Amino acid sequence: MTFYELEITYFSDIRCVFQEYDYVFNVDIEDGKPPLKLPYNCDEDPWFAAQKFIHDNNLSQLYLDQVANFIVNNSKQSVPLAPSHTSNEFCDPFTG
């Protein structure tokens, strides 16, 4: 699977499969075949969007990190790697 930065399409309010998205990326996975559409909204978790894309297109789970990182890098968002708690209280990592 190859991600071509030049193939990125991002416009405001793009309609893809009857839903509006902030970004719709073209992902070229095989030469000679049309690129797949990777829709993404800025309020989504990039890993959930990547998982949905992988599931919808019957791709290997091994691509999850690559797809998610592609979304993060090309949507120009900062994604927190850990919860942002300002208090010193204990926070259970499974229940918040």
Side-chain angles (χ1 to χ4, degrees):
M1 179 183 309
T2 305
F3 291 96
Y4 295 101
E5 194 165 335
L6 296 176
E7 293 291 326
I8 296 170
T9 306
Y10 49 100
F11 301 104
S12 294
D13 301 327
I14 293 178
R15 293 186 187 274
C16 180
V17 192
F18 308 110
Q19 187 174 349
E20 291 184 12
Y21 292 94
D22 296 320
Y23 297 91
V24 176
F25 301 107
N26 288 325
V27 180
D28 191 9
I29 62 163
E30 190 175 331
D31 289 336
K33 291 196 176 181
L36 301 175
K37 301 297 183 191
L38 170 53
Y40 177 68
N41 281 320
C42 292
D43 62 348
E44 275 184 281
D45 181 313
W47 275 263
F48 283 120
Q51 182 61 58
K52 182 174 180 348
F53 174 76
I54 286 169
H55 177 75
D56 290 348
N57 293 288
N58 296 319
L59 301 174
S60 170
Q61 248 342 95
L62 298 174
Y63 294 120
L64 180 63
D65 283 339
Q66 184 180 1
V67 174
N69 287 320
F70 176 82
I71 293 170
V72 170
N73 292 335
N74 290 289
S75 64
K76 306 299 182 214
Q77 288 188 279
S78 61
V79 177
L81 298 177
S84 56
H85 294 287
T86 56
S87 69
N88 291 334
E89 295 179 28
F90 173 76
C91 179
D92 186 327
F94 297 107
T95 61

